Each structure stands twice: as C-alpha cells, then as structure tokens.
Amino acid sequence: MATKTEDSDGGPLERWTQSAIQNPERVYRALFYAAMLFFLVTTMFPFYWLLVLAVTPEGNLLAGSFLPAVDLFGVSGTFPLPVPKGFNPGAFITVFEQVPFHLYMLNSFALAITTTIIVLFIASLAGYVFGRLRFPGRAALMLGILAISYFPPAAFVIPLFKVFAGNAPVVIPFTDIGLFTAPRLLNTPGSMVLPFSSLFMPLSVFILTTFYGQIPDGLEDAARVEGTTRLGALFRVIMPLSAPGVATAAVLTFIAVYNEYFFSSIMATSPEATKWSPILGGILSYQTQYTTQYNLMAAASIVGVLPVVILVIVAQERIVSGLTSGALKE
C-alpha cells in the first residue's frame, strides 16, 4: 500500500498555506503586487477615462456605450475597458480658444506660490520657536496647532465668507460690540490665500519643527558669536541646513493649494479669470445652462493637472526623503 506524502494529504488551500509558512517572502511579494495593481487601477483609471472623453468627438459622446462589443471565438460580449468613439485631439486646443484657460491656470499658480511663500515664512518662525526653544506649554501649544489642522474646512467657511463679504462689522464673540468692518475680499486673492495659509500652515510647522530641532546648537551659537541675531541665524544657517525639510513643506503646500477645491469654489463667486477664479472656474466655464461640453471639461482637467504631475515626478525623491528624514530623531 502506497504512503501518501504530507503535501498530498490536504487540499490546494492547505498546500498553499504550508507553502506560505515555509516561504513568507512569496506572500509578501504577492501582497505587494496586489496592492500595487489596486493602486494603479484606482488612481490611473480616472485619468484614462478623462483621456477617453477628451479625444472622443463631441457628437459621439452621447452615441451609445463606450464599452465596445467583441466576438471572441464565436462568443459575443462587451470589452470591459472603455475606448474612445473616434479620435479628435483638437479639444486640447479648443479649451484655450473657447475660454482663456491659461489665465485660470495662471491664477492657480499665483495663489499657490503666494500661499507657499507666506506659509514658509511664518512656519519657519514657528518651527524655530517650537524646535529650538524651550518654554512652558510648548507641547500643548504644538498639539493645539496640529489639532486645528484636522478641523473640517466647512467649519470656517461661514464666518470667513461673512467677514470677506465686507458688509457687516466684525463683533466680539457672544456680544454685539463691533470691532471693525473688514474690506470686501471676495473674488480677490486675499479671500483664498488667507484660508489656504491657515489650513496648510500646521503641516509645514510640524515638518520644519522636526528639522530645525535636529540642527546642533553649536552651529547657531557660532553664527551668533559672529554677530548675527537669532533671526539672522535662522535664515542664514538653520534654513539652508534644513533644505530638504523646507523643500518638502514648500512642495506639499504648493500642490495642496493648486488642487484646492472647497474654498476656491466659494470665495470666487464669479467663474471669471479676471476675478481670480482658479482652474476650477475655468473647467466649469464649459458648462452652461443648457449644454455641457464633457470633452472640453475632460481635456481642461488633464491640462490643469499636468503641472502637478510634472512637479511630483521631479520632486518625488525630495518629498520622500524630506518626510522620512523629518520623522527620525537623531
């Protein structure tokens, strides 16, 4: 009578489990590939779908399904991936001819760069205080700043909109005592840069605090012996030595502001490029009361996101190294 081997006693699942226990690297590799496949599908498919809509002629957008029928070995079915119904790349040119989309992109660049400069300047001062000075309540104050960053933006929009509208005085909370009447800032850079700066400031403060705290005290002391002030030592010694952290904070702030949707759609009440409406306003300009030009909206979305994609590809190594270096305490 033949003796059965250990592997042949169980079913496929039991044999796979035993193989995984004996060689866990195969399981880790399989999980890695599965996670990467899921990530690529969920992140790349929206861009693929936008590309399909952008190159499809406008007259074919509503003419049937984007899933073509296929006949494979006599079996009819539907191909599971949408394909363009025609090819017309002219939409990528029309987006600039129909509306001044380049001005919308310029507005987004101006808002992002201005906010990044403000955030870096204030966050550098705050990072210096939290990272290099010791004072009572330092940890509690830092925790409070980080906690505010988790507040939903919707919690700020009503009071900010009321203040930026400039038609009512700012009063002391829970009283009717007026302090001042703020100028009207709606449809101006101020109504967007101020909320952006406050919302994206805590992350930069945290990143720069970690980096500044790692600079040896001797370097700052040497600079101060040479006659510079604390502020001079910050901008001449500490910030250059913390370049990876400064670059990381700048890139993350720029990308977050460039992609911001909530405050941009509320503070820019008129979707006109001359009133500082960002890319979002330009994309919505292709939609009227009676028509929606989906191919132009898709093409504009792709054109609008390209600068961020290029920035991420160029700065990805800097972002990763900056975040990981800032997470370590030497």
Side-chain angles (χ1 to χ4, degrees), residues 35 93 98 113 182 209 279 303:
I93 300 176
Q98 188 159 322
I113 292 175
T209 296
I279 288 179
V303 172

PDB file of all heavy atoms in Angstrom, residues 35 93 98 113 182 209 279 303:
ATOM      1  N   ALA A  35      -1.390  45.013  -4.033  1.00  0.00           N
ATOM      2  CA  ALA A  35      -1.616  46.393  -3.601  1.00  0.00           C
ATOM      3  C   ALA A  35      -1.250  47.380  -4.706  1.00  0.00           C
ATOM      4  O   ALA A  35      -1.957  48.369  -4.940  1.00  0.00           O
ATOM      5  CB  ALA A  35      -0.809  46.682  -2.335  1.00  0.00           C
ATOM      6  N   ILE A  93      -6.820  71.986 -27.791  1.00  0.00           N
ATOM      7  CA  ILE A  93      -6.589  73.349 -28.299  1.00  0.00           C
ATOM      8  C   ILE A  93      -7.827  74.217 -28.078  1.00  0.00           C
ATOM      9  O   ILE A  93      -7.719  75.397 -27.730  1.00  0.00           O
ATOM     10  CB  ILE A  93      -6.204  73.294 -29.790  1.00  0.00           C
ATOM     11  CG1 ILE A  93      -4.921  72.477 -29.969  1.00  0.00           C
ATOM     12  CG2 ILE A  93      -6.027  74.691 -30.364  1.00  0.00           C
ATOM     13  CD1 ILE A  93      -4.509  72.290 -31.412  1.00  0.00           C
ATOM     14  N   GLN A  98     -11.832  78.677 -26.492  1.00  0.00           N
ATOM     15  CA  GLN A  98     -13.200  79.000 -26.055  1.00  0.00           C
ATOM     16  C   GLN A  98     -13.209  79.893 -24.821  1.00  0.00           C
ATOM     17  O   GLN A  98     -14.036  80.793 -24.710  1.00  0.00           O
ATOM     18  CB  GLN A  98     -13.972  77.701 -25.784  1.00  0.00           C
ATOM     19  CG  GLN A  98     -15.449  77.921 -25.506  1.00  0.00           C
ATOM     20  CD  GLN A  98     -16.247  76.660 -25.741  1.00  0.00           C
ATOM     21  OE1 GLN A  98     -15.974  75.914 -26.679  1.00  0.00           O
ATOM     22  NE2 GLN A  98     -17.238  76.417 -24.904  1.00  0.00           N
ATOM     23  N   ILE A 113       1.725  79.937  -5.311  1.00  0.00           N
ATOM     24  CA  ILE A 113       3.049  80.472  -4.989  1.00  0.00           C
ATOM     25  C   ILE A 113       2.966  81.478  -3.845  1.00  0.00           C
ATOM     26  O   ILE A 113       3.797  81.453  -2.916  1.00  0.00           O
ATOM     27  CB  ILE A 113       3.664  81.120  -6.245  1.00  0.00           C
ATOM     28  CG1 ILE A 113       3.987  80.041  -7.288  1.00  0.00           C
ATOM     29  CG2 ILE A 113       4.927  81.902  -5.887  1.00  0.00           C
ATOM     30  CD1 ILE A 113       4.479  80.596  -8.608  1.00  0.00           C
ATOM     31  N   ALA A 182     -14.386  94.789   7.942  1.00  0.00           N
ATOM     32  CA  ALA A 182     -13.313  94.343   7.040  1.00  0.00           C
ATOM     33  C   ALA A 182     -13.624  94.735   5.606  1.00  0.00           C
ATOM     34  O   ALA A 182     -14.798  94.845   5.223  1.00  0.00           O
ATOM     35  CB  ALA A 182     -13.161  92.823   7.135  1.00  0.00           C
ATOM     36  N   THR A 209       9.585  72.125  12.329  1.00  0.00           N
ATOM     37  CA  THR A 209       9.962  71.954  13.741  1.00  0.00           C
ATOM     38  C   THR A 209      10.870  70.747  13.914  1.00  0.00           C
ATOM     39  O   THR A 209      11.881  70.802  14.631  1.00  0.00           O
ATOM     40  CB  THR A 209       8.692  71.784  14.600  1.00  0.00           C
ATOM     41  OG1 THR A 209       7.913  72.976  14.534  1.00  0.00           O
ATOM     42  CG2 THR A 209       9.059  71.511  16.055  1.00  0.00           C
ATOM     43  N   ILE A 279      -8.369  77.263 -11.585  1.00  0.00           N
ATOM     44  CA  ILE A 279      -8.627  76.278 -12.639  1.00  0.00           C
ATOM     45  C   ILE A 279     -10.035  75.719 -12.558  1.00  0.00           C
ATOM     46  O   ILE A 279     -10.673  75.450 -13.576  1.00  0.00           O
ATOM     47  CB  ILE A 279      -7.580  75.147 -12.554  1.00  0.00           C
ATOM     48  CG1 ILE A 279      -6.224  75.665 -13.034  1.00  0.00           C
ATOM     49  CG2 ILE A 279      -8.002  73.951 -13.377  1.00  0.00           C
ATOM     50  CD1 ILE A 279      -5.133  74.632 -12.950  1.00  0.00           C
ATOM     51  N   VAL A 303      -5.159  69.006 -18.788  1.00  0.00           N
ATOM     52  CA  VAL A 303      -4.179  70.091 -18.926  1.00  0.00           C
ATOM     53  C   VAL A 303      -3.895  70.726 -17.564  1.00  0.00           C
ATOM     54  O   VAL A 303      -2.749  71.040 -17.229  1.00  0.00           O
ATOM     55  CB  VAL A 303      -4.696  71.142 -19.923  1.00  0.00           C
ATOM     56  CG1 VAL A 303      -3.786  72.362 -19.936  1.00  0.00           C
ATOM     57  CG2 VAL A 303      -4.796  70.549 -21.321  1.00  0.00           C
TER      58      VAL A 303
END
